[in-house]
Amino acid sequence: MKLAYLWIDKYINLHNCGFTFTSIVNIKNTVDFKKRSITLIIESNENYISNLFGSNITEITAIVGANGVGKSNLLGLVRQFVSTKSVYETVRFVKYFCN
């Protein structure tokens, strides 16, 4: 199972933003701030090429941006998902996993 999508309501300098970590599926989001809801539309990616990097590497995701935009904060939050459950008490988020 792998993290495919993460929506962050508010975490340090990351506010109301979504991140896709896979190309196996196409993920589109619609956010309704009045209703405080997010809708994810998840569709199979017909252009996905399996084993592009060989059998040992399933995917590569690059996180790029200017200094101070939150790259390290995003990675820190993902690291907290993996290592502890304390993040669940302090951050509102939506995450989607796929096989």
Side-chain angles (χ1 to χ4, degrees):
M1 184 168 23
K2 64 177 104 180
L3 179 64
Y5 180 83
L6 176 64
W7 168 267
I8 302 171
D9 182 51
K10 183 177 181 183
Y11 178 73
I12 306 176
N13 66 334
L14 302 170
H15 302 275
N16 300 322
C17 50
F19 301 93
T20 302
F21 296 102
T22 185
S23 59
I24 293 173
V25 293
N26 294 318
I27 301 174
K28 300 174 190 167
N29 68 40
T30 304
V31 180
D32 187 334
F33 291 103
K34 278 188 167 183
K35 293 182 180 178
R36 299 183 50 81
S37 69
I38 180 170
T39 303
L40 297 180
I41 299 170
I42 303 165
E43 300 173 337
S44 178
N45 181 0
E46 297 174 6
N47 296 320
Y48 178 74
I49 302 170
S50 60
N51 295 324
L52 179 65
F53 305 106
S55 60
N56 293 330
I57 301 173
T58 57
E59 292 209 56
I60 296 175
T61 299
I63 300 172
V64 297
N67 290 340
V69 297
K71 298 179 300 291
S72 295
N73 293 333
L74 173 62
L75 291 175
L77 183 61
V78 171
R79 184 175 46 248
Q80 285 184 41
F81 284 140
V82 173
S83 64
T84 181
K85 293 184 179 181
S86 65
V87 69
Y88 302 129
E89 300 168 2
T90 59
V91 181
R92 290 190 318 210
F93 58 88
V94 173
K95 59 184 177 176
Y96 171 74
F97 289 92
C98 67
N99 287 330

